[in-house]
């Protein structure tokens, strides 16, 4: 199959279909009818109702499990005093007093915002992010593969924590920037991949909007330190990654996003 051909064969039913109307990526391109059938089978509401899950619903979301294990292990290590004494100096910035009497946080190196992306302080923060990652991440894991999921989640989470530091001048912790990136990834690919087509419904969009409003209310009324900058930066990163994934050769744009994130990390200690 020629990816640039104007008409390609559906991987599901074999019907020749204009490329612009197909869903999927790589060799797994499907006509609208087959895409809609898979959408129905993949949609979370159907998955919850189905007593027997077919192969599309199962699989080995190893990257999702690995990311969950990583954040859980780091949180557990923070609760063990000998390990915490090693971790906290790596995570906590310095509170520096200037000669003029002013004071501010200063990070010690580029590695700190990267570590903040997989660090959670409160157990409720870890549980909320972990549940969200499992609910959405495993489908992206199965739809695009584990390396793609890990790249999007970690890259955007690091970008979000670094952006939060640069804007707010205070530590931003948690992988939630990566979760917002997954929302944006699905949104960017809603017309290009059957998994994204299945997820991005009106209910999905309303849920994201409600979640954003709730976070603003919690931070403003409840006084919890939620980094809206980190969430927005993660969302932007994920949307740009999704746009890159729509291209025939996404790797150069992925590398550009990664390079921008690394550059931001090295700029952060100087600001």
């Amino acid at each position: 199959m020629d990816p640039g051909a104007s008409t390609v064969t559906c991987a599901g039913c074999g019907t020749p279909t204009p490329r612009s109307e197909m869903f999927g990526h790589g060799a797994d391109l499907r006509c609208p009818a087959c895409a809609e059938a898979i959408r129905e089978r993949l949609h979370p509401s159907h998955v919850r109702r189905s007593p027997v899950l077919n192969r599309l619903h199962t699989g080995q979301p190893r990257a999702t499990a690995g990311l969950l294990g990583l954040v859980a292990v780091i949180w557990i290590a923070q609760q063990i005093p000998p390990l915490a004494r090693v971790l906290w100096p790596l995570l906590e910035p310095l509170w520096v007093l200037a000669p003029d009497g002013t004071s501010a946080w200063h990070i010690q190196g580029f590695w700190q915002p990267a570590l903040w992306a997989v660090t959670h302080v409160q157990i409720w923060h870890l549980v909320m992010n972990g549940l969200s990652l499992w609910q959405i991440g495993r489908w992206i894991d199965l739809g695009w593969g584990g390396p793609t999921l890990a790249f999007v989640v970690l890259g955007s989470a690091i970008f979000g924590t670094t952006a939060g530091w640069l804007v707010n001048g205070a530590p931003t912790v948690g992988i939630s920037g990566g979760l917002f990136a997954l929302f944006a990834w699905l949104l960017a690919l809603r017309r290009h991949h059957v998994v994204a087509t299945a997820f991005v419904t009106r209910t999905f969009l309303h849920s994201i909007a409600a979640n954003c409003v709730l976070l603003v209310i919690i931070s403003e009324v409840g006084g919890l330190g939620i980094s809206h900058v980190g969430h927005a930066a993660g969302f932007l990163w994920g949307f740009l990654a999704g746009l890159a994934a729509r291209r025939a050769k996404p790797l150069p744009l992925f590398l550009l996003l990664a390079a921008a994130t690394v550059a931001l990390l090295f700029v952060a200690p100087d600001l």
Side-chain angles (χ1 to χ4, degrees):
M1 181 187 68
D2 179 8
S6 58
T7 301
V8 294
T9 302
C10 173
C13 64
T15 303
T17 306
R19 176 64 182 85
S20 60
E21 298 178 9
M22 301 289 267
F23 292 84
H25 73 120
D28 190 26
L29 296 172
R30 298 174 186 269
C31 67
C34 288
E36 181 62 25
I38 293 181
R39 170 192 171 100
E40 291 297 321
R41 295 162 67 189
L42 280 176
H43 195 275
S45 62
H46 175 84
V47 172
R48 286 193 293 268
R49 293 194 306 266
S50 177
V52 179
L53 304 181
N54 61 35
R55 191 171 65 85
L56 283 172
H57 299 150
T58 60
Q60 302 296 328
R62 293 187 178 91
T64 309
L67 289 172
L68 287 171
L70 174 63
V71 296
V73 166
I74 290 177
W75 185 84
I76 292 172
Q78 292 173 250
Q79 315 310 310
I80 302 174
L83 295 178
R85 285 194 289 271
V86 176
L87 279 175
W88 282 116
L90 297 175
L91 297 172
E92 285 191 314
L94 300 173
W95 185 257
V96 177
L97 183 65
D100 60 0
T102 60
S103 55
W105 290 109
H106 287 273
I107 60 176
Q108 304 170 67
F110 68 90
W111 67 86
Q112 287 191 309
L115 289 177
W116 294 342
V118 290
T119 302
H120 297 78
V121 179
Q122 298 89 358
I123 182 62
W124 62 265
H125 190 200
L126 173 68
V127 171
M128 287 177 57
N129 283 349
L131 287 175
S132 299
L133 178 59
W134 176 251
Q135 289 173 342
I136 298 178
R138 59 192 172 124
W139 294 103
I140 295 178
D141 197 345
L142 297 174
W144 287 272
T148 298
L149 172 70
F151 173 74
V152 173
V153 171
L154 293 178
S156 56
I158 292 171
F159 187 83
T161 54
T162 309
W165 163 258
L166 294 177
V167 173
N168 300 322
T172 295
V173 299
I175 206 168
S176 51
L179 301 178
F180 275 82
L182 297 186
F183 299 151
W185 171 272
L186 292 171
L187 188 63
L189 290 163
R190 66 193 183 282
R191 293 288 301 165
H192 296 267
H193 196 287
V194 290
V195 174
T197 305
F199 265 85
V200 181
T201 62
R202 184 174 299 177
T203 301
F204 176 86
L205 296 175
H206 289 173
S207 298
I208 294 178
N211 184 48
C212 292
V213 171
L214 180 62
L215 289 176
V216 171
I217 293 174
I218 291 175
S219 63
E220 297 300 323
V221 178
L224 293 180
I226 295 174
S227 175
H228 304 300
V229 172
H231 292 167
F235 187 93
L236 175 62
W237 200 101
F239 192 78
L240 292 176
L243 293 180
R246 287 159 49 169
R247 301 176 64 89
K249 295 181 178 180
L251 183 59
L253 293 179
F254 284 165
L255 292 177
L256 185 61
L257 271 175
T261 303
V262 172
L264 199 65
L265 278 173
F266 278 91
V267 167
D270 298 325
L271 296 178

